[in-house]
Amino acid sequence: MENELSKENQATVQLENVGVVRGGAVILDDVSFSAGQGEITAIVGPSGGGKSTLIRLVNRLEDPSSGRIRVGGDDVASIDPLELRRRVGMVLQKPFMYDGTVLHNLQQPFRYRQAPPPLAESGEMRRSLELARLDPDILGRDARTLSGGEQQRVSLARVLIGGPRVLLLDEPTSALDRPTADRLAATLHDICRSQRLTVILVTHDLRLAGRIADHLLYLEKGRVLEEGGREEFLERPRTEELRLFLAEPAEGEE
């Protein structure tokens, strides 16, 4: 029982009274929430509200001005950044592909860590491709010639091959057409459940959030104004700000 509790704690993200001040401007103001293992937490809100800044704090691409962030009970400030980014993987809005093949791209994180990269026929390579729903034949293709949807899946596989327990996604479907976005959404949902990952998703796409999120937060002007389960959040908003946002969601990116 103790081991089960410990394992679950390792994959839980907690933000406690987090603030970010940049150039005298308040970007995040006293933000607190938890994201659980095996669940997708979606952060929605108008552009410029601090959503992207918020998730960048979790793997220390940025540091907060105040407050505390924990991953698995550990303060992220106490974790070596390379180790933290092995635990907490991030898929960016616009996937970056290195020169070379898909195989080279999937091996690149290991080279950065000066670790032996997995071979094309290795179990971990096959597993990451299966999770991202990619055919092994893609390994020999030039990564930069792939479609947007294929590049997003390669980016996802590149994160998953490192075995993270937390997955951060910043507008992962914004550049994809609706059918491709729906397929990626189904993949993310299945990965979250099957791998018991803690997933935090930033999105403007309320349709996407409504399909896969377990818990949602509404962030406006750096503050969490409302949060709740999917049905409650989308169908019975309590604040006027969220009601207006649901009626006419903001467009664009942060």
Side-chain angles (χ1 to χ4, degrees):
M1 181 65 173
E2 183 177 345
N3 288 339
E4 291 178 1
L5 290 173
S6 176
K7 182 177 180 181
E8 179 151 357
N9 192 41
Q10 290 173 7
T12 299
V13 175
Q14 298 171 302
L15 279 77
E16 304 168 2
N17 308 112
V18 168
V20 172
V21 178
R22 190 184 299 148
V26 176
I27 309 301
L28 293 173
D29 184 8
D30 197 31
V31 172
S32 298
F33 73 92
S34 296
Q37 185 182 31
E39 295 182 348
I40 296 176
T41 298
I43 303 170
V44 302
S47 297
K51 300 187 301 296
S52 294
T53 296
L54 193 156
I55 64 167
R56 287 169 62 86
L57 298 175
V58 179
N59 70 345
R60 292 196 67 193
L61 291 176
E62 296 188 37
D63 288 320
S65 306
S66 58
R68 180 176 296 175
I69 302 166
R70 298 180 186 272
V71 171
D74 297 326
D75 190 328
V76 298
S78 69
I79 306 172
D80 176 80
L82 288 178
E83 171 58 28
L84 176 64
R85 288 163 198 160
R86 291 176 65 179
R87 295 191 207 178
V88 182
M90 187 169 187
V91 177
L92 299 173
Q93 176 180 348
K94 183 175 174 55
F96 174 79
M97 296 289 107
Y98 298 98
D99 284 330
T101 64
V102 170
L103 175 61
H104 176 83
N105 270 264
L106 297 184
Q107 292 173 330
Q108 192 61 33
F110 295 86
R111 295 190 181 95
Y112 281 139
R113 298 199 298 264
Q114 298 183 331
L119 301 177
E121 62 274 13
S122 68
E124 54 193 322
M125 185 68 69
R126 289 197 304 271
R127 174 179 169 276
S128 68
L129 292 174
E130 288 171 3
L131 288 172
R133 296 182 182 173
L134 289 167
D135 191 286
D137 291 344
I138 203 172
L139 289 175
R141 294 176 59 186
D142 184 331
R144 291 190 170 176
T145 66
L146 300 176
S147 69
E150 288 171 328
Q151 288 192 359
Q152 196 63 278
R153 287 180 181 275
V154 169
S155 180
L156 178 60
R158 189 169 59 201
V159 170
L160 293 172
I161 201 168
R165 300 309 307 154
V166 178
L167 184 61
L168 309 174
L169 301 119
D170 190 359
E171 299 282 3
T173 62
S174 64
L176 306 180
D177 59 45
R178 181 58 60 82
T180 304
D182 285 350
R183 288 193 292 272
L184 181 61
T187 299
L188 293 172
H189 181 272
D190 291 348
I191 289 171
C192 175
R193 296 296 193 265
S194 66
Q195 303 303 303
R196 298 288 296 158
L197 295 182
T198 300
V199 177
I200 303 177
L201 165 73
V202 162
T203 184
H204 283 87
D205 188 345
L206 291 172
R207 180 175 179 272
L208 170 68
R211 285 168 63 93
I212 67 172
D214 300 290
H215 193 81
L216 293 96
L217 293 89
Y218 178 70
L219 189 71
E220 182 175 317
K221 296 179 180 177
R223 295 184 65 88
V224 175
L225 300 185
E226 191 163 343
E227 62 178 299
R230 177 172 52 204
E231 182 176 339
E232 172 193 8
F233 185 94
L234 295 174
E235 297 182 12
R236 296 185 294 277
R238 300 186 304 274
T239 62
E240 182 65 18
E241 290 89 348
L242 179 56
R243 282 192 287 270
L244 290 172
F245 181 76
L246 294 177
E248 189 176 357
E251 297 293 336
E253 293 111 32
E254 293 189 15

